[in-house]
């Protein structure tokens, strides 16, 4: 049993099933991120944990206590919303204090907690201001402070950074991670941003179509995606996915692929990979950082293979240059060093690190190797 247990939980609105049977166990102090596109069921699951949505079947328990039928106010959870949900007529101090007042916490204890949290979040100088006088990042800190003073069992974050500009989102991600490392709190965090998921979490639940597609650590999700949806959704740029056929080249299984100019290329798999799959059609998956220029390839890998391919597009990105070609009618992006002299229209040697390659079944879209 975990600190927060979601056991066979489902949610339906009449005949429409929006969350299928879901099983997740969250340990105390863990940072679980629910990530997926709009409509995948992640916010519905968060609202079920909060008590804002009833569970259709199954159970949600916190500290071995079933939350089924328990009112939100009696669950000892705190929620940070996308909209911040601050009272505009109250000061920052009043907003932070309000929940504690409703729970009958003595004034001296309230003042102590407000002081501690304001110092932690560096908002002491804002306590007498009202929300309308604050920036988006400051309002986000106040919303977090209001949750922290409650000292709840579980913190729930519902896309809290989506209203911030790009730089502030990065800054606030860092602040939330520091806060979690310092306090060791249990957090369930919803986002559609896979970079937030990878950088913040100790574990990720990737959701799509009302199902948990994969549950694992950021490294597991990134390096070993369970299916093509996870492979394509997680990572920026996302994993390259293109058709290939497994053939035997000198007794070694290789991926036969079709380049943009119509030529076929053979890319051998790493040792032992795809043995016994001769003639099988697959979808080959490989991350952009595993397709690079010859000198930028991993020198510790013995499975780097060079393929001359026509360059379609180059995209300078400061520290890297993204170079696009095509395989099997699909754009394939490599991450090259910034100073590599490569131009659209030329042929160029792409280095594939096949230790990092994965293979999927084209019909089921599940990973096979």
């Amino acid at each position: 049993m975990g600190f927060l247990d979601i056991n066979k939980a489902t949610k339906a609105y009449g005949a429409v099933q929006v969350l299928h049977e879901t099983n997740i166990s969250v340990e105390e102090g863990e940072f679980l991120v629910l990530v997926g596109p709009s409509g995948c069921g992640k916010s519905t699951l968060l609202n079920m944990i909060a008590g804002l949505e009833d569970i259709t079947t199954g159970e949600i328990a916190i500290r071995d206590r079933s939350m089924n039928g328990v009112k939100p106010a009696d669950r000892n959870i705190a929620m940070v919303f996308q909209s911040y949900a601050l009272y505009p007529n109250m000061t920052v101090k009043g907003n932070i204090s309000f929940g504690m007042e409703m729970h009958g916490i003595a004034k001296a204890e309230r003042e102590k907690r407000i002081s501690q949290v304001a110092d932690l979040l560096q908002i002491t100088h804002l306590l007498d201001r009202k929300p309308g006088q604050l920036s988006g990042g400051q309002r986000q800190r106040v919303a977090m402070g209001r949750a922290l003073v409650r000292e709840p069992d579980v913190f729930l974050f519902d896309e809290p950074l989506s209203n911030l500009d790009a730089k502030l989102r990065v800054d606030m991600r860092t602040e939330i991670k520091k806060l979690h490392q310092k306090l060791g709190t249990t957090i369930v965090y919803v986002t559609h941003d896979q970079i937030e998921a990878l950088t913040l979490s100790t574990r990720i639940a990737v959701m799509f179509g009302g199902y948990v597609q994969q549950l694992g650590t950021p490294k597991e999700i990134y390096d070993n995606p369970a299916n093509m949806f996870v492979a394509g959704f997680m990572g920026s740029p996302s994993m390259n996915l293109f058709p290939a056929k497994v053939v035997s080249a000198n007794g070694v299984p290789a991926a036969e692929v079709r380049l943009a100019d119509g030529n076929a290329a053979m890319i051998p798999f790493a040792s032992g990979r795809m043995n016994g799959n001769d003639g099988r059609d697959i979808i080959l998956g490989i991350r952009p950082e595993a397709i690079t220029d010859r000198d930028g390839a991993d020198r510790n890998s013995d499975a780097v293979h060079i393929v001359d391919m026509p360059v379609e597009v180059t995209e300078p990105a400061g520290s890297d240059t993204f170079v696009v070609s095509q395989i099997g009618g699909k754009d394939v992006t490599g991450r090259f060093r910034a100073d590599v002299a490569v131009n659209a229209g030329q042929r160029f040697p792409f280095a594939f690190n096949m230790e990092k390659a994965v293979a999927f079944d084209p019909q089921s879209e599940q990973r096979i190797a």
Side-chain angles (χ1 to χ4, degrees):
M1 297 289 286
F3 187 78
L4 164 65
D5 286 299
I6 302 166
N7 300 311
K8 299 181 179 179
T10 70
K11 180 64 181 178
Y13 298 99
V16 180
Q17 191 86 6
V18 296
L19 187 70
H20 300 271
E21 190 171 290
T22 301
N23 296 284
I24 301 174
S25 184
V26 183
E27 298 301 324
E28 187 169 8
E30 193 170 6
F31 197 129
L32 174 71
V33 173
L34 308 176
V35 65
S38 297
C40 70
K42 59 188 186 295
S43 291
T44 297
L45 180 55
L46 191 79
N47 288 337
M48 288 163 63
I49 297 169
L52 302 176
E53 295 271 8
D54 293 330
I55 301 169
T56 302
T57 63
E59 181 185 56
I60 293 176
I62 299 175
R63 291 185 181 271
D64 295 333
R65 176 192 171 206
S66 176
M67 294 291 109
N68 292 30
V70 177
K71 295 178 181 178
D74 298 328
R75 295 191 178 208
N76 198 27
I77 55 96
M79 196 160 182
V80 179
F81 296 94
Q82 176 181 347
S83 62
Y84 316 132
L86 301 177
Y87 296 107
N89 60 323
M90 292 184 181
T91 63
V92 167
K93 184 176 181 179
N95 268 280
I96 294 174
S97 178
F98 184 72
M100 292 189 290
E101 291 180 39
M102 294 299 98
H103 283 80
I105 295 173
K107 183 176 180 180
E109 179 63 19
R110 295 202 306 268
E111 294 290 337
K112 177 184 173 183
R113 292 190 193 179
I114 292 169
S115 176
Q116 289 173 338
V117 166
D119 184 57
L120 178 68
L121 296 174
Q122 300 177 22
I123 55 173
T124 302
H125 63 294
L126 304 175
L127 289 177
D128 293 326
R129 297 188 191 177
K130 291 187 176 179
Q133 299 171 292
L134 306 178
S135 68
Q138 290 170 335
R139 287 197 292 270
Q140 182 59 265
R141 288 172 187 267
V142 175
M144 289 169 59
R146 183 178 56 190
L148 285 169
V149 292
R150 291 273 311 281
E151 298 182 351
D153 290 328
V154 181
F155 288 93
L156 305 178
F157 287 79
D158 187 11
E159 305 213 37
L161 307 185
S162 61
N163 288 335
L164 305 179
D165 62 57
K167 184 182 185 306
L168 193 51
R169 276 203 306 273
V170 174
D171 293 342
M172 289 302 297
R173 277 206 312 260
T174 302
E175 291 302 317
I176 291 172
K177 187 147 191 172
K178 283 181 182 176
L179 200 60
H180 178 252
Q181 291 171 343
K182 184 171 184 177
L183 301 178
T185 50
T186 305
I187 295 175
V188 181
Y189 186 108
V190 161
T191 182
H192 63 273
D193 186 329
Q194 37 83 25
I195 298 299
E196 275 182 36
L198 290 167
T199 54
L200 286 173
S201 65
T202 55
R203 275 198 307 161
I204 300 171
V206 184
M207 300 185 67
F208 180 64
Y211 291 94
V212 175
Q213 301 289 323
Q214 187 172 358
L215 176 65
T217 66
K219 183 172 177 57
E220 289 168 347
I221 297 288
Y222 190 78
D223 290 343
N224 301 297
N227 56 41
M228 286 173 57
F229 173 78
V230 176
F233 188 79
M234 300 301 292
S236 180
S238 63
M239 178 177 278
N240 296 297
L241 298 167
F242 49 88
K245 181 184 285 289
V246 182
V247 298
S248 183
N250 300 319
V252 177
E256 182 183 46
V257 299
R258 187 69 57 180
L259 306 181
D261 56 10
N263 292 323
M266 306 280 275
I267 314 175
F269 287 97
S271 178
R273 301 288 295 278
M274 300 304 293
N275 285 345
N277 283 281
D278 279 11
R280 182 171 186 173
D281 290 322
I282 62 169
I283 300 296
L284 191 63
I286 187 164
R287 296 277 180 199
E289 60 269 23
I291 305 175
T292 185
D293 58 281
R294 190 192 301 266
D295 292 336
D298 184 355
R299 297 177 185 273
N300 296 316
S301 173
D302 59 2
V304 174
H305 299 280
I306 307 299
V307 180
D308 280 338
M309 302 202 300
V311 176
E312 305 246 328
V313 176
T314 62
E315 300 175 348
S319 58
D320 302 295
T321 296
F322 294 106
V323 182
V324 180
S325 185
Q326 274 202 353
I327 292 178
K330 304 290 185 182
D331 283 347
V332 173
T333 301
R335 178 176 257 146
F336 286 29
R337 292 168 301 143
D339 58 355
V340 174
V342 57
N343 298 293
Q346 72 177 111
R347 291 188 72 87
F348 198 86
F350 286 62
F352 287 73
N353 183 0
M354 293 299 282
E355 281 186 352
K356 302 295 185 181
V358 294
F360 302 94
D361 180 82
Q363 279 71 49
S364 69
E365 299 191 352
Q366 298 300 304
R367 183 173 170 183
I368 55 178

